[in-house]
Amino acid sequence: MVQDRASLPPTTGHGSPPAAQADPSSPDGPGSAAPLPPTLNTPSATTAPETSQAHEPSPNGDATKGRPAGDSASDGLGTASTGAGPTETGGGPEAASVAAAPPAGDAALGESWRREPRKVLAARVVAAVAGGIALFAAFPPLGWWLCAPLGIGLIVGSLYGARPRRAAWLGYLGAAVFLFPALAWVRTIGDDVWLMLVGTESLFYAAMAALAALVFRLPGWPVWFGGLWVAVEWARGLVPIGGFPWARAAFSQGESLFTPYAALGGAPLVSFAVALCGALLAHSVLVRSRAWRRAVPVAMALAVPVLTLAIPRPGDEGRTVNVGIVQGNVPGRGMYALGDEPAVVLKNHANETKRLAEAVRAGKLPKPDIVVLPENSTDIDPYQDEFARQIIQDSVRDVGVPTLVGAVVAIGDDHRATRSLVWDPVTGPGAYYDKQNLVPFGEYTPFKDIVLALWERASLVGRQSVPGNKPGDLELGPVTIGAVNCYEVAYDDTVRRTVRAGGTPLVVQTNNASYALSNLPPQQLAMSQLRAVEHNRAVVTAATTGISAFVTPDGKVAWQTRELVADMNVVKVPVRTQETLATKVGGLPEWALMVMGAAAAAVAAWRGRRRGDQVRND
């Protein structure tokens, strides 16, 4: 591309092009150069090759001569432009060395920006794919938690310097590569559902990437990028059809250096810390500067997780409760996990409860104060079926303590509820909690008439579930437990309201039978670990097929079962009542981080438009 040199500012020194003039007053020192559009950084038949003069200071030392309009000022973490793109230029991989977009209104340079060299575009794609793979590796069952900031850093590298439209599809690509394996457990329902879910969820990351392309133009952009990451996870948990908050960055940090942030600001603050760390690592590679200046963002990135060592942890309060946990197992697999034999799931859990009672009488296990059975531990409604009622009553009477039973019960003629039901060994069924966050297409069918007409599998839902409307604080023996049902453990507000209502310990009843041996059970256990730290509460999980577990208030798994086996145990669980800051302030940190990210994107867009107006007026 041939440029009209008359349109460029006058040069000084050795006759070097002004876009390559060094700025001795730059915070990066005389060794740094003003940014060039990508096509000008790559020698071609239409541009003269650059010489080493592009990296030399102007002979007269005048910091203002030879600098193109829109040149940058220091932000303390590199440089930032008021023009149409970021001015930080990379010193690492070619995908990370894309220079700033030209000022709006410069048609020639704008065309060169759109025609990014193919190898630069290829490097962007490779970085997005590698970032998605690394982010997946951070989640259980692999659980390589350090891969989360590394993966996000690679995704940042793929987006940095790109126009919003290109950033959007790169963000979509990275998200899809991450979510396809992370949500592979959805394949149990069907590959078509899996594809649709990943395709929909990836759209959120595409929108975030387009906004990130704007905030990269601002000083301190790693912080604003972290706010955008929190915002996209919030949006995913809200829409469509009740949201899908699975696979948030925080849920890869069940037990890591980042986990203690949960006690200060919940899962959103953990996600922010992970994203910030990744963005700072990317900044150290993307921004060309002296070695000591590169060390600053690296040091800050390392400080983000290390600072959690200084976060105070609540102490033990000296009170415990013995909790019996029963995992009865089921005969089937996949969508037909409960099998064809009537009452087999009920009988399995009743028999395992009796086996626990026998072990207690034999002195092999301590006597429990309460017993917890999983979600769907009875596949027959005990309110309507006398046979089921008697089986449960017999097993609870045998163990001799109040028992939390998981049941699906009828609500009228057409609906049902997933219920946590307190069963007393003398008086029978009593207080209960009905699940609030229902699984779409599993417990109810959105857009029922259309979906049933298109997919026969949707009829497997049967009666449509209705949500409960109160938190899960239930008096069970000597304690008030906090009942949470399966899918709900991913929802911040549901768990928080249960803790605020007095629930301690938290009890997660879950039915993962359809997803046995997939990556869902370990991912759900990691969520329980994070919730334990977030609210200073022990978490007891009872699952039909696994993983049943006991998590201490500091997020450590003290005991767990294998999958697809019948098992039981009695564990001594600490009872904590002290609330963390996260429990007290609720969603305020999340809203603050989201507003921060959104405001930064708005400011970047406004500055870019204002700059464009100024160039057009000139």
Short mmCIF file of all heavy atoms in Angstrom, two decimals, residues 225-281:
data_model
loop_
_atom_site.label_atom_id
_atom_site.label_comp_id
_atom_site.label_asym_id
_atom_site.label_seq_id
_atom_site.Cartn_x
_atom_site.Cartn_y
_atom_site.Cartn_z
N PHE A 225 -10.80 -5.59 32.09
CA PHE A 225 -11.10 -6.88 31.48
C PHE A 225 -11.66 -7.85 32.52
O PHE A 225 -12.60 -8.60 32.24
CB PHE A 225 -9.84 -7.47 30.83
CG PHE A 225 -10.04 -8.86 30.29
CD1 PHE A 225 -10.62 -9.05 29.05
CD2 PHE A 225 -9.66 -9.97 31.03
CE1 PHE A 225 -10.83 -10.33 28.55
CE2 PHE A 225 -9.85 -11.24 30.55
CZ PHE A 225 -10.44 -11.43 29.30
N GLY A 226 -11.08 -7.86 33.73
CA GLY A 226 -11.60 -8.72 34.79
C GLY A 226 -13.04 -8.42 35.12
O GLY A 226 -13.85 -9.32 35.37
N GLY A 227 -13.40 -7.12 35.12
CA GLY A 227 -14.79 -6.75 35.36
C GLY A 227 -15.72 -7.25 34.27
O GLY A 227 -16.85 -7.70 34.55
N LEU A 228 -15.26 -7.21 33.02
CA LEU A 228 -16.07 -7.74 31.92
C LEU A 228 -16.26 -9.25 32.05
O LEU A 228 -17.33 -9.78 31.72
CB LEU A 228 -15.41 -7.41 30.57
CG LEU A 228 -15.44 -5.95 30.13
CD1 LEU A 228 -14.69 -5.78 28.82
CD2 LEU A 228 -16.87 -5.46 29.98
N TRP A 229 -15.24 -9.94 32.51
CA TRP A 229 -15.36 -11.39 32.69
C TRP A 229 -16.43 -11.72 33.74
O TRP A 229 -17.24 -12.63 33.56
CB TRP A 229 -14.01 -12.00 33.10
CG TRP A 229 -14.01 -13.49 33.01
CD1 TRP A 229 -14.48 -14.38 33.94
CD2 TRP A 229 -13.54 -14.28 31.91
NE1 TRP A 229 -14.33 -15.66 33.49
CE2 TRP A 229 -13.75 -15.64 32.25
CE3 TRP A 229 -12.94 -13.97 30.69
CZ2 TRP A 229 -13.39 -16.69 31.40
CZ3 TRP A 229 -12.59 -15.02 29.84
CH2 TRP A 229 -12.81 -16.35 30.20
N VAL A 230 -16.45 -10.97 34.81
CA VAL A 230 -17.49 -11.17 35.83
C VAL A 230 -18.87 -10.89 35.24
O VAL A 230 -19.84 -11.62 35.51
CB VAL A 230 -17.24 -10.26 37.05
CG1 VAL A 230 -18.40 -10.31 38.03
CG2 VAL A 230 -15.94 -10.66 37.75
N ALA A 231 -18.98 -9.85 34.43
CA ALA A 231 -20.26 -9.50 33.83
C ALA A 231 -20.79 -10.60 32.93
O ALA A 231 -21.99 -10.91 32.93
CB ALA A 231 -20.14 -8.19 33.05
N VAL A 232 -19.91 -11.22 32.15
CA VAL A 232 -20.39 -12.26 31.23
C VAL A 232 -20.83 -13.49 32.01
O VAL A 232 -21.80 -14.16 31.64
CB VAL A 232 -19.30 -12.61 30.19
CG1 VAL A 232 -18.21 -13.50 30.75
CG2 VAL A 232 -19.94 -13.30 28.98
N GLU A 233 -20.17 -13.79 33.12
CA GLU A 233 -20.61 -14.94 33.92
C GLU A 233 -21.94 -14.64 34.62
O GLU A 233 -22.78 -15.54 34.77
CB GLU A 233 -19.53 -15.30 34.95
CG GLU A 233 -18.29 -15.89 34.29
CD GLU A 233 -17.31 -16.48 35.28
OE1 GLU A 233 -17.38 -16.13 36.49
OE2 GLU A 233 -16.45 -17.26 34.86
N TRP A 234 -22.13 -13.40 35.02
CA TRP A 234 -23.42 -13.01 35.60
C TRP A 234 -24.53 -13.17 34.58
O TRP A 234 -25.60 -13.70 34.88
CB TRP A 234 -23.34 -11.57 36.09
CG TRP A 234 -24.67 -10.98 36.44
CD1 TRP A 234 -25.35 -11.14 37.64
CD2 TRP A 234 -25.50 -10.15 35.62
NE1 TRP A 234 -26.54 -10.44 37.59
CE2 TRP A 234 -26.66 -9.83 36.37
CE3 TRP A 234 -25.37 -9.64 34.34
CZ2 TRP A 234 -27.68 -9.03 35.86
CZ3 TRP A 234 -26.38 -8.84 33.82
CH2 TRP A 234 -27.52 -8.55 34.58
N ALA A 235 -24.30 -12.69 33.36
CA ALA A 235 -25.32 -12.78 32.31
C ALA A 235 -25.65 -14.23 31.98
O ALA A 235 -26.82 -14.59 31.79
CB ALA A 235 -24.84 -12.04 31.06
N ARG A 236 -24.63 -15.07 31.93
CA ARG A 236 -24.87 -16.50 31.66
C ARG A 236 -25.74 -17.14 32.72
O ARG A 236 -26.51 -18.06 32.43
CB ARG A 236 -23.53 -17.24 31.61
CG ARG A 236 -22.74 -17.08 30.33
CD ARG A 236 -21.51 -17.97 30.39
NE ARG A 236 -21.87 -19.33 30.70
CZ ARG A 236 -21.15 -20.17 31.44
NH1 ARG A 236 -20.02 -19.76 31.99
NH2 ARG A 236 -21.55 -21.40 31.66
N GLY A 237 -25.60 -16.70 33.96
CA GLY A 237 -26.39 -17.27 35.04
C GLY A 237 -27.79 -16.71 35.13
O GLY A 237 -28.56 -17.14 36.00
N LEU A 238 -28.11 -15.78 34.26
CA LEU A 238 -29.42 -15.12 34.31
C LEU A 238 -30.32 -15.49 33.15
O LEU A 238 -31.52 -15.73 33.33
CB LEU A 238 -29.21 -13.60 34.34
CG LEU A 238 -30.43 -12.74 34.60
CD1 LEU A 238 -30.94 -12.95 36.02
CD2 LEU A 238 -30.08 -11.26 34.38
N VAL A 239 -29.78 -15.55 31.95
CA VAL A 239 -30.56 -15.85 30.74
C VAL A 239 -29.76 -16.82 29.88
O VAL A 239 -28.53 -16.91 29.98
CB VAL A 239 -30.85 -14.54 29.94
CG1 VAL A 239 -31.79 -13.65 30.70
CG2 VAL A 239 -29.55 -13.82 29.59
N PRO A 240 -30.45 -17.56 28.98
CA PRO A 240 -31.91 -17.66 28.84
C PRO A 240 -32.49 -18.69 29.80
O PRO A 240 -31.73 -19.42 30.44
CB PRO A 240 -32.06 -18.11 27.39
CG PRO A 240 -30.84 -18.96 27.15
CD PRO A 240 -29.72 -18.32 27.95
N ILE A 241 -33.78 -18.77 29.86
CA ILE A 241 -34.56 -19.73 30.66
C ILE A 241 -33.92 -20.03 32.02
O ILE A 241 -33.64 -21.18 32.36
CB ILE A 241 -34.86 -21.02 29.88
CG1 ILE A 241 -33.58 -21.65 29.31
CG2 ILE A 241 -35.85 -20.75 28.77
CD1 ILE A 241 -33.81 -22.97 28.58
N GLY A 242 -33.71 -18.96 32.78
CA GLY A 242 -33.20 -19.13 34.13
C GLY A 242 -31.70 -19.17 34.25
O GLY A 242 -31.15 -19.23 35.36
N GLY A 243 -30.99 -19.11 33.12
CA GLY A 243 -29.54 -19.05 33.16
C GLY A 243 -28.88 -20.41 33.33
O GLY A 243 -29.50 -21.40 33.68
N PHE A 244 -27.57 -20.41 33.06
CA PHE A 244 -26.78 -21.64 33.19
C PHE A 244 -25.40 -21.26 33.74
O PHE A 244 -24.46 -21.01 32.98
CB PHE A 244 -26.65 -22.33 31.84
CG PHE A 244 -25.99 -23.68 31.91
CD1 PHE A 244 -26.68 -24.78 32.38
CD2 PHE A 244 -24.67 -23.84 31.50
CE1 PHE A 244 -26.08 -26.02 32.45
CE2 PHE A 244 -24.05 -25.07 31.57
CZ PHE A 244 -24.77 -26.17 32.04
N PRO A 245 -25.27 -21.16 35.07
CA PRO A 245 -24.02 -20.65 35.67
C PRO A 245 -22.92 -21.70 35.81
O PRO A 245 -21.97 -21.50 36.55
CB PRO A 245 -24.50 -20.17 37.04
CG PRO A 245 -25.63 -21.08 37.38
CD PRO A 245 -26.32 -21.39 36.07
N TRP A 246 -23.05 -22.82 35.12
CA TRP A 246 -22.03 -23.86 35.19
C TRP A 246 -20.75 -23.38 34.51
O TRP A 246 -20.77 -22.50 33.64
CB TRP A 246 -22.54 -25.12 34.49
CG TRP A 246 -22.12 -26.39 35.15
CD1 TRP A 246 -20.97 -27.08 34.92
CD2 TRP A 246 -22.83 -27.13 36.15
NE1 TRP A 246 -20.92 -28.20 35.71
CE2 TRP A 246 -22.06 -28.26 36.47
CE3 TRP A 246 -24.05 -26.94 36.80
CZ2 TRP A 246 -22.46 -29.20 37.40
CZ3 TRP A 246 -24.45 -27.87 37.72
CH2 TRP A 246 -23.68 -28.98 38.03
N ALA A 247 -19.61 -23.94 34.88
CA ALA A 247 -18.32 -23.69 34.23
C ALA A 247 -17.87 -22.23 34.34
O ALA A 247 -17.26 -21.69 33.44
CB ALA A 247 -18.34 -24.12 32.76
N ARG A 248 -18.19 -21.58 35.45
CA ARG A 248 -17.61 -20.26 35.72
C ARG A 248 -16.16 -20.45 36.16
O ARG A 248 -15.80 -21.47 36.73
CB ARG A 248 -18.41 -19.56 36.83
CG ARG A 248 -19.83 -19.24 36.43
CD ARG A 248 -20.75 -19.10 37.62
NE ARG A 248 -20.47 -17.92 38.41
CZ ARG A 248 -21.09 -17.64 39.57
NH1 ARG A 248 -22.01 -18.48 40.05
NH2 ARG A 248 -20.80 -16.55 40.22
N ALA A 249 -15.34 -19.45 35.89
CA ALA A 249 -13.91 -19.57 36.21
C ALA A 249 -13.70 -19.91 37.68
O ALA A 249 -12.80 -20.68 38.04
CB ALA A 249 -13.18 -18.27 35.87
N ALA A 250 -14.54 -19.38 38.55
CA ALA A 250 -14.42 -19.65 39.99
C ALA A 250 -14.57 -21.13 40.31
O ALA A 250 -13.94 -21.63 41.25
CB ALA A 250 -15.46 -18.84 40.76
N PHE A 251 -15.37 -21.83 39.53
CA PHE A 251 -15.64 -23.23 39.82
C PHE A 251 -14.51 -24.16 39.39
O PHE A 251 -14.60 -25.37 39.57
CB PHE A 251 -16.96 -23.66 39.18
CG PHE A 251 -18.17 -22.96 39.75
CD1 PHE A 251 -19.31 -22.77 38.98
CD2 PHE A 251 -18.18 -22.49 41.05
CE1 PHE A 251 -20.43 -22.13 39.51
CE2 PHE A 251 -19.27 -21.84 41.58
CZ PHE A 251 -20.41 -21.66 40.81
N SER A 252 -13.45 -23.58 38.82
CA SER A 252 -12.23 -24.36 38.58
C SER A 252 -11.30 -24.27 39.78
O SER A 252 -10.23 -24.90 39.78
CB SER A 252 -11.51 -23.84 37.33
OG SER A 252 -11.01 -22.53 37.53
N GLN A 253 -11.69 -23.47 40.78
CA GLN A 253 -10.81 -23.18 41.91
C GLN A 253 -11.37 -23.74 43.21
O GLN A 253 -11.42 -23.06 44.22
CB GLN A 253 -10.60 -21.67 42.02
CG GLN A 253 -10.12 -21.00 40.73
CD GLN A 253 -8.77 -21.50 40.28
OE1 GLN A 253 -7.82 -21.53 41.06
NE2 GLN A 253 -8.68 -21.91 39.02
N GLY A 254 -11.80 -25.00 43.17
CA GLY A 254 -12.36 -25.61 44.38
C GLY A 254 -11.40 -25.61 45.55
O GLY A 254 -11.79 -25.41 46.70
N GLU A 255 -10.13 -25.84 45.25
CA GLU A 255 -9.10 -25.80 46.29
C GLU A 255 -7.81 -25.30 45.66
O GLU A 255 -7.05 -26.08 45.06
CB GLU A 255 -8.90 -27.19 46.91
CG GLU A 255 -7.97 -27.19 48.10
CD GLU A 255 -7.85 -28.56 48.76
OE1 GLU A 255 -8.57 -29.48 48.34
OE2 GLU A 255 -7.03 -28.70 49.69
N SER A 256 -7.57 -24.01 45.76
CA SER A 256 -6.39 -23.39 45.15
C SER A 256 -6.03 -22.14 45.92
O SER A 256 -6.71 -21.76 46.89
CB SER A 256 -6.68 -23.04 43.68
OG SER A 256 -7.45 -21.85 43.59
N LEU A 257 -4.99 -21.45 45.47
CA LEU A 257 -4.61 -20.19 46.11
C LEU A 257 -5.67 -19.11 45.89
O LEU A 257 -5.76 -18.16 46.67
CB LEU A 257 -3.27 -19.71 45.57
CG LEU A 257 -2.02 -20.42 46.10
CD1 LEU A 257 -0.77 -19.89 45.41
CD2 LEU A 257 -1.90 -20.28 47.60
N PHE A 258 -6.48 -19.22 44.83
CA PHE A 258 -7.50 -18.22 44.57
C PHE A 258 -8.75 -18.43 45.44
O PHE A 258 -9.53 -17.49 45.61
CB PHE A 258 -7.93 -18.28 43.09
CG PHE A 258 -6.90 -17.81 42.13
CD1 PHE A 258 -6.08 -18.71 41.47
CD2 PHE A 258 -6.73 -16.46 41.87
CE1 PHE A 258 -5.12 -18.28 40.58
CE2 PHE A 258 -5.76 -16.01 40.97
CZ PHE A 258 -4.96 -16.93 40.33
N THR A 259 -8.96 -19.62 45.97
CA THR A 259 -10.21 -19.96 46.65
C THR A 259 -10.56 -19.03 47.81
O THR A 259 -11.73 -18.68 47.98
CB THR A 259 -10.17 -21.42 47.14
OG1 THR A 259 -9.78 -22.27 46.06
CG2 THR A 259 -11.53 -21.86 47.67
N PRO A 260 -9.60 -18.61 48.65
CA PRO A 260 -9.97 -17.75 49.79
C PRO A 260 -10.67 -16.45 49.42
O PRO A 260 -11.35 -15.86 50.26
CB PRO A 260 -8.63 -17.49 50.48
CG PRO A 260 -7.80 -18.68 50.15
CD PRO A 260 -8.18 -19.03 48.75
N TYR A 261 -10.52 -15.98 48.18
CA TYR A 261 -11.25 -14.78 47.77
C TYR A 261 -12.76 -14.98 47.88
O TYR A 261 -13.51 -14.01 47.98
CB TYR A 261 -10.89 -14.38 46.34
CG TYR A 261 -9.58 -13.65 46.22
CD1 TYR A 261 -8.53 -14.19 45.47
CD2 TYR A 261 -9.37 -12.42 46.85
CE1 TYR A 261 -7.31 -13.53 45.35
CE2 TYR A 261 -8.17 -11.75 46.73
CZ TYR A 261 -7.13 -12.31 45.99
OH TYR A 261 -5.94 -11.65 45.88
N ALA A 262 -13.20 -16.22 47.85
CA ALA A 262 -14.64 -16.51 47.96
C ALA A 262 -15.21 -15.99 49.27
O ALA A 262 -16.37 -15.58 49.34
CB ALA A 262 -14.90 -18.01 47.83
N ALA A 263 -14.40 -16.01 50.34
CA ALA A 263 -14.87 -15.53 51.64
C ALA A 263 -15.06 -14.01 51.67
O ALA A 263 -15.76 -13.50 52.54
CB ALA A 263 -13.90 -15.95 52.74
N LEU A 264 -14.46 -13.31 50.72
CA LEU A 264 -14.58 -11.85 50.67
C LEU A 264 -15.66 -11.39 49.70
O LEU A 264 -16.39 -10.45 49.98
CB LEU A 264 -13.24 -11.23 50.26
CG LEU A 264 -12.04 -11.51 51.16
CD1 LEU A 264 -10.80 -10.80 50.63
CD2 LEU A 264 -12.33 -11.08 52.60
N GLY A 265 -15.75 -12.04 48.56
CA GLY A 265 -16.70 -11.58 47.54
C GLY A 265 -17.38 -12.69 46.77
O GLY A 265 -17.92 -12.45 45.69
N GLY A 266 -17.37 -13.91 47.31
CA GLY A 266 -18.05 -15.01 46.67
C GLY A 266 -17.39 -15.45 45.38
O GLY A 266 -16.27 -15.06 45.04
N ALA A 267 -18.12 -16.28 44.63
CA ALA A 267 -17.61 -16.78 43.36
C ALA A 267 -17.24 -15.67 42.38
O ALA A 267 -16.24 -15.78 41.67
CB ALA A 267 -18.64 -17.74 42.74
N PRO A 268 -18.00 -14.55 42.31
CA PRO A 268 -17.61 -13.49 41.36
C PRO A 268 -16.22 -12.92 41.62
O PRO A 268 -15.48 -12.64 40.67
CB PRO A 268 -18.70 -12.42 41.57
CG PRO A 268 -19.89 -13.18 42.05
CD PRO A 268 -19.32 -14.26 42.92
N LEU A 269 -15.85 -12.75 42.88
CA LEU A 269 -14.52 -12.21 43.17
C LEU A 269 -13.44 -13.21 42.80
O LEU A 269 -12.35 -12.82 42.34
CB LEU A 269 -14.41 -11.83 44.64
CG LEU A 269 -13.10 -11.13 45.05
CD1 LEU A 269 -12.89 -9.85 44.24
CD2 LEU A 269 -13.09 -10.82 46.55
N VAL A 270 -13.70 -14.49 42.98
CA VAL A 270 -12.73 -15.51 42.58
C VAL A 270 -12.54 -15.47 41.06
O VAL A 270 -11.41 -15.51 40.56
CB VAL A 270 -13.17 -16.91 43.04
CG1 VAL A 270 -12.19 -17.97 42.56
CG2 VAL A 270 -13.29 -16.97 44.56
N SER A 271 -13.64 -15.41 40.32
CA SER A 271 -13.53 -15.32 38.86
C SER A 271 -12.75 -14.07 38.45
O SER A 271 -11.91 -14.11 37.54
CB SER A 271 -14.92 -15.29 38.23
OG SER A 271 -15.54 -16.56 38.27
N PHE A 272 -13.03 -12.95 39.11
CA PHE A 272 -12.31 -11.71 38.80
C PHE A 272 -10.82 -11.86 39.05
O PHE A 272 -10.00 -11.43 38.22
CB PHE A 272 -12.87 -10.57 39.65
CG PHE A 272 -12.09 -9.28 39.53
CD1 PHE A 272 -12.26 -8.46 38.43
CD2 PHE A 272 -11.19 -8.91 40.52
CE1 PHE A 272 -11.52 -7.28 38.31
CE2 PHE A 272 -10.46 -7.74 40.40
CZ PHE A 272 -10.63 -6.92 39.30
N ALA A 273 -10.46 -12.47 40.17
CA ALA A 273 -9.05 -12.63 40.50
C ALA A 273 -8.35 -13.50 39.47
O ALA A 273 -7.22 -13.21 39.05
CB ALA A 273 -8.90 -13.23 41.90
N VAL A 274 -9.00 -14.57 39.04
CA VAL A 274 -8.41 -15.45 38.03
C VAL A 274 -8.24 -14.71 36.70
O VAL A 274 -7.19 -14.79 36.06
CB VAL A 274 -9.29 -16.71 37.84
CG1 VAL A 274 -8.78 -17.54 36.67
CG2 VAL A 274 -9.29 -17.55 39.11
N ALA A 275 -9.29 -13.97 36.28
CA ALA A 275 -9.22 -13.23 35.01
C ALA A 275 -8.17 -12.12 35.08
O ALA A 275 -7.44 -11.88 34.11
CB ALA A 275 -10.59 -12.66 34.67
N LEU A 276 -8.11 -11.43 36.20
CA LEU A 276 -7.12 -10.36 36.37
C LEU A 276 -5.71 -10.93 36.29
O LEU A 276 -4.83 -10.35 35.63
CB LEU A 276 -7.34 -9.66 37.71
CG LEU A 276 -6.30 -8.60 38.10
CD1 LEU A 276 -6.27 -7.46 37.08
CD2 LEU A 276 -6.58 -8.06 39.50
N CYS A 277 -5.48 -12.04 36.95
CA CYS A 277 -4.16 -12.66 36.93
C CYS A 277 -3.77 -13.03 35.50
O CYS A 277 -2.65 -12.77 35.05
CB CYS A 277 -4.16 -13.90 37.83
SG CYS A 277 -2.58 -14.76 37.93
N GLY A 278 -4.72 -13.64 34.76
CA GLY A 278 -4.43 -14.01 33.38
C GLY A 278 -4.16 -12.80 32.51
O GLY A 278 -3.25 -12.82 31.67
N ALA A 279 -4.94 -11.73 32.70
CA ALA A 279 -4.75 -10.52 31.90
C ALA A 279 -3.40 -9.85 32.21
O ALA A 279 -2.74 -9.32 31.30
CB ALA A 279 -5.90 -9.55 32.14
N LEU A 280 -2.99 -9.87 33.46
CA LEU A 280 -1.69 -9.28 33.82
C LEU A 280 -0.55 -10.08 33.20
O LEU A 280 0.45 -9.50 32.73
CB LEU A 280 -1.55 -9.24 35.34
CG LEU A 280 -2.37 -8.18 36.07
CD1 LEU A 280 -2.38 -8.43 37.56
CD2 LEU A 280 -1.85 -6.78 35.76
N LEU A 281 -0.67 -11.40 33.20
CA LEU A 281 0.35 -12.22 32.54
C LEU A 281 0.43 -11.89 31.05
O LEU A 281 1.50 -11.78 30.47
CB LEU A 281 0.05 -13.70 32.74
CG LEU A 281 0.23 -14.25 34.16
CD1 LEU A 281 -0.26 -15.69 34.25
CD2 LEU A 281 1.69 -14.16 34.60
#
